Amino acid sequence: MQLSNRAIRNLLTALAILLAVGAAACGDDGGETVESTSFDDEQIVVDYADQVVIPTYELLDTRAGELQTAVDALAGDPTDANLEAARDAWVSTREPWEQSEASLFGPVDSNGYDPALDSWPVNRSDLEQVLAGDDTIDQAYVEGLDASLKGFHTIEFLLFGDGGTKTAADLSDRELDYLTATTADLKRTTGLLATSWTDGVDGQSAYREVFTTAGADGNQAYPSLSAAGQEITTGMITILDEVANGKIADPFDNRDTTLVESQFSYNSLTDFKNNIIGVQNAYLGKADAAGTSGKGLTAFVAAQDADLDARVKAEIQAAIDALDAVPEPFRDAITDDAGRAKIEEAITAISTVQATVEQDVQPLVTGQ
């Protein structure tokens, strides 16, 4: 992921939604603003927080702890078996993070947790300078570094190396120090992210309270339940756009393997699929990886248009299936004719879901 691209896409998506909401809120004569109340299901909002977002962040924090344990074991005894265990823990931790990207609003955005965890690409030249230097490498040192020098993909690069060729014998003492420190920093950040929703951090209110009290007097973030519903659909639209037009299209259009996210671990397609599963979770009100489920947006849509609800569910599953049909690894598929055909089909399937949520679901939520 390139942070600047994500920020630009988020801004454009938010602007499009703002314009849509504005159109819905104004009469035909452009006169007095009328608040939409079309989406008014408080239980869906509460379950989105309690059964989707919070369990996913808590699972992320649990798995980040398991990753830290595995990396500490590798640093204490750098064997190939311990390296493989740390790699497995990294892949496992990616699952809830990528699924959570359908909900990139609130503290993950405003507190800067997203870039701290998932900046891409790795700044390899600066990383090599740090590793070649003599600064003491510990968690406090890494915490003060730029986001491009820490987080998931720096850990991935150190664990896997180019083409996944790294062996335990290749790891220098300073690389192991860096790996230990940056994994501890990642665990600190996932803990803050989960706590920001449940208890609040740095004097901020728990974001669960902000989100689930949508429509209550004095709630400036979500003045109506419809505003909370729009946040859910905006999160879905944003990640669908990023996967189709950023994560996949950028390296595909340029035939440039250096633009492929999670290329060292060959985990790219799994990342993309987990992004779409995150969209599915947001719509259905569940998080299978965490073992939770509740009332989802699907109930609201089905009550108004059962055919649309069935279409949304079918299109999301079709997008997941289309990604499954792309041959591994993704970084090779972008330069292979057969692979490129499957990638184009996946882009089309994901864009179809995005168009449906933007053009059909979002208007129901906004009351257009």
Side-chain angles (χ1 to χ4, degrees):
M1 174 200 74
Q2 284 193 328
L3 178 60
S4 58
N5 286 347
R6 169 174 286 177
I8 291 169
R9 291 190 184 94
N10 287 348
L11 180 61
L12 291 174
T13 301
L15 180 60
I17 299 305
L18 181 62
L19 291 173
V21 172
C26 296
D28 292 340
D29 61 356
E32 183 178 358
T33 296
V34 178
E35 186 69 36
S36 169
T37 57
S38 285
F39 177 86
D40 60 357
D41 195 319
E42 182 178 2
Q43 191 60 53
I44 290 176
V45 174
V46 170
D47 282 357
Y48 182 80
D50 291 345
Q51 309 300 328
V52 181
V53 176
I54 292 174
T56 301
Y57 283 153
E58 290 179 337
L59 180 62
L60 170 66
D61 188 44
T62 296
R63 292 193 179 174
E66 294 168 353
L67 173 60
Q68 183 177 11
T69 298
V71 165
D72 289 346
L74 173 64
D77 185 13
T79 65
D80 285 338
N82 282 341
L83 175 60
E84 192 61 31
R87 288 174 169 179
D88 289 346
W90 183 89
V91 171
S92 175
T93 310
R94 289 293 285 177
E95 180 188 27
W97 167 251
E98 292 298 300
Q99 293 184 10
S100 80
E101 288 192 313
S103 309
L104 285 177
F105 61 87
V108 70
D109 178 35
S110 60
N111 289 356
Y113 300 141
D114 178 16
L117 290 170
D118 200 32
S119 282
W120 172 262
V122 177
N123 187 338
R124 291 174 61 171
S125 60
D126 283 2
L127 177 61
E128 288 169 0
Q129 286 185 11
V130 171
L131 293 172
D134 56 9
D135 289 340
T136 299
I137 298 174
D138 55 21
Q139 184 179 346
Y141 176 78
V142 169
E143 186 178 337
L145 295 176
D146 182 79
S148 63
L149 290 168
K150 55 188 175 183
F152 271 114
H153 295 299
T154 297
I155 297 170
E156 179 197 14
F157 175 67
L158 292 171
L159 287 176
F160 292 86
D162 272 329
T165 57
K166 182 71 71 67
T167 68
D170 295 330
L171 288 162
S172 68
D173 290 343
R174 284 184 67 81
E175 284 179 317
L176 288 169
D177 288 344
Y178 201 101
L179 192 54
T180 303
T182 195
T183 304
D185 183 67
L186 181 136
K187 172 66 177 69
R188 180 189 67 85
T189 305
T190 61
L192 288 170
L193 176 55
T195 303
S196 68
W197 272 77
T198 56
D199 300 311
V201 298
D202 298 331
Q204 300 169 353
S205 299
Y207 205 76
R208 180 197 180 279
E209 294 306 309
V210 176
F211 189 71
T212 61
T213 59
D217 290 344
N219 190 326
Q220 297 181 350
Y222 302 102
S224 67
L225 285 164
S226 178
Q230 292 162 43
E231 192 80 278
I232 297 172
T233 52
T234 299
M236 296 168 64
I237 293 166
T238 299
I239 194 60
L240 288 163
D241 179 62
E242 182 173 339
V243 174
N245 300 312
K247 293 186 177 190
I248 296 179
D250 284 349
F252 176 80
D253 292 343
N254 293 287
R255 294 178 182 262
D256 186 349
T257 58
T258 66
L259 300 178
V260 176
E261 188 180 23
S262 296
Q263 62 174 273
F264 308 121
S265 59
Y266 294 105
N267 202 57
S268 309
L269 285 168
T270 301
D271 277 3
F272 306 157
K273 192 166 79 169
N274 275 317
N275 285 150
I276 308 306
I277 290 173
V279 171
Q280 191 175 53
N281 290 347
Y283 188 69
L284 299 179
K286 65 173 187 172
D288 285 344
T292 56
S293 64
K295 186 178 184 182
L297 193 61
T298 176
F300 167 76
V301 175
Q304 301 200 37
D305 188 338
D307 290 342
L308 173 60
D309 175 60
R311 180 156 59 89
V312 172
K313 288 190 273 193
E315 288 177 354
I316 292 174
Q317 187 58 53
I320 294 170
D321 293 343
L323 286 168
D324 274 335
V326 177
E328 294 274 12
F330 178 74
R331 60 182 283 176
D332 291 348
I334 64 173
T335 58
D336 172 76
D337 287 344
R340 289 180 65 82
K342 292 297 182 184
I343 291 171
E344 286 186 316
E345 291 175 8
I347 291 173
T348 298
I350 297 166
S351 298
T352 297
V353 184
Q354 180 185 345
T356 296
V357 177
E358 282 181 330
Q359 298 169 17
D360 299 319
V361 176
Q362 186 85 340
L364 289 181
V365 174
T366 61
Q368 280 187 310

